[in-house]
């Protein structure tokens, strides 16, 4: 029996939280009968009755609400919404990384080739010095 009461209490709390979230996130034109503050107080002081009253009489039915793919007036332009969020999602950034890596690899290869030429020249000079007879 105690478990059943616990389950009812939990359901009442979940219903009240959902009603509060719905009430606080509703647009001003979607609230009926009372101001938002009154609905919040009713839901807080009478959780079960207030929550049911909110869903029945306090908000506009969902059938009357216009559905839009993207909420109007969110502060972002169409270009801002299409921009990549992270640098690794940005194709321009990724291509610049590939270009930078290619340039760095070419520079490293150029330095290795110069070092190799320098060492080969040193070896040739040493061999030439050994091959020359001493006077």
């Amino acid at each position: 029996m105690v478990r059943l009461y616990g389950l009812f209490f939990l359901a009442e709390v979940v219903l009240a939280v959902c009603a509060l979230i719905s009430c606080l996130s509703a647009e001003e034109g979607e609230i009926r009968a009372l101001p938002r503050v009154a609905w919040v107080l009713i839901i807080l002081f009478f959780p079960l009755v207030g929550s049911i009253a909110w869903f029945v009489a306090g908000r506009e039915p969902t059938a009357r609400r216009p559905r839009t793919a993207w909420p109007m007036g969110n502060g972002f332009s169409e270009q801002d919404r299409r921009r990549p969020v992270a640098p690794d999602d940005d194709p321009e950034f990724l291509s610049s990384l590939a270009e930078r890596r290619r340039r760095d690899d070419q520079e490293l290869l150029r330095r290795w080739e110069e070092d190799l030429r320098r060492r080969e020249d040193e070896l040739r000079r040493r061999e030439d010095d050994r091959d020359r007879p001493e006077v």
Side-chain angles (χ1 to χ4, degrees):
M1 196 66 164
V2 173
R3 289 182 185 173
L4 187 61
Y5 287 135
L7 186 62
F8 284 142
F9 175 74
L10 184 63
E12 181 180 341
V13 169
V14 168
L15 183 65
V17 168
C18 290
L20 273 174
I21 291 172
S22 175
C23 180
L24 293 173
S25 64
E27 296 291 327
E28 200 60 42
E30 296 175 348
I31 300 174
R32 294 189 305 177
L34 295 172
R36 183 188 317 261
V37 175
W39 280 115
V40 170
L41 291 175
I42 290 171
I43 294 169
L44 287 175
F45 288 128
F46 309 103
L48 183 61
V49 175
S51 300
I52 294 171
W54 164 253
F55 286 119
V56 171
R59 67 181 185 148
E60 287 286 328
T62 56
R64 289 191 215 164
R65 278 192 233 160
R67 289 286 177 174
T68 58
W70 192 267
M72 302 300 282
N74 59 3
F76 294 104
S77 67
E78 184 67 29
Q79 279 185 339
D80 291 341
R81 285 194 304 249
R82 285 187 301 203
R83 293 179 69 199
V85 177
D88 57 346
D89 292 338
D90 186 2
E92 293 175 18
F93 177 75
L94 294 175
S95 65
S96 73
L97 285 179
E99 178 65 27
R100 187 181 313 157
R101 174 174 282 174
R102 188 181 61 77
R103 279 194 319 255
D104 291 346
D105 288 347
Q106 286 178 347
E107 178 64 24
L108 185 62
L109 181 63
R110 186 188 60 78
R111 281 194 229 145
W112 284 348
E113 288 175 342
E114 286 177 3
D115 186 50
L116 182 63
R117 282 188 201 110
R118 184 184 53 80
R119 289 179 182 200
E120 286 176 344
D121 289 344
E122 275 183 25
L123 280 174
R124 283 188 192 121
R125 273 186 251 135
R126 284 182 189 166
E127 287 178 359
D128 287 345
D129 288 345
R130 283 186 205 158
D131 290 343
R132 278 191 229 165
E134 291 185 30
V135 178

